[in-house]
Amino acid sequence: MSGSGTGRAPDDLFLKIIAGEVPATIVHADDLVVAFEDVDPQAPVHVLVVPRERHETVAALAAAAPATLARLVEVAQRIADERCGGHFRLVFNTGEDVGQSVFHVHGHVLGGRGFTWPPG
Ligand code: AMP
């Protein structure tokens, strides 16, 4: 699948953040994932949790590296536990039509306010 590879894509913004080439407020880093504040927060808590390896979508990540996806979810929960009482949305925009703009999978950890359902 295109984009599932782990090779470095020169235009991958999140690889540049992970490498320290683009500044970001890093809130967590381990051997599998890095988390940083979203530059355009949509809620009081808005953190992106990103695998170090580049996979385009959450399904590609699940197929190629399920332990990394599990770590991503664990870190998301930990951030929500620390910042917003464990209540959060974990969003993976998948595809341009629903708003994916960076094609390096990332979980949006959103919390700290009420959310409507259905989502907009
Ligand atoms: P998505 O639209 O789901 O692909 O999410 C991409 C997210 O990356 C958006 O919420 C952006 O605000 C965020 N973003 C873009 N550039 C940066 C950056 N330099 N540092 C942190 N977050 C960023």
Side-chain angles (χ1 to χ4, degrees):
M1 177 194 238
S2 153
S4 297
T6 56
R8 171 146 189 176
D11 59 345
D12 185 330
L13 171 65
F14 290 168
L15 282 182
K16 290 178 182 167
I17 287 176
I18 291 165
E21 295 165 11
V22 169
T25 303
I26 307 286
V27 301
H28 172 90
D30 63 38
D31 56 325
L32 296 178
V33 303
V34 174
F36 50 89
E37 303 284 354
D38 196 293
V39 77
D40 181 22
Q42 302 302 310
V45 177
H46 189 172
V47 172
L48 303 176
V49 190
V50 177
R52 288 184 180 275
E53 281 188 357
R54 179 175 183 272
H55 302 275
E56 215 169 84
T57 66
V58 66
L61 177 63
T68 302
L69 178 57
R71 179 73 62 78
L72 187 158
V73 173
E74 183 189 327
V75 168
Q77 181 69 63
R78 202 180 313 157
I79 290 165
D81 287 345
E82 289 167 359
R83 297 190 176 197
C84 46
H87 297 240
F88 68 114
R89 281 198 184 169
L90 180 56
V91 174
F92 295 92
N93 291 325
T94 304
E96 273 173 327
D97 286 357
V98 300
Q100 186 174 7
S101 61
V102 178
F103 291 86
H104 177 137
V105 60
H106 47 284
H108 294 256
V109 180
L110 294 154
R113 65 167 170 83
F115 289 89
T116 57
W117 191 264

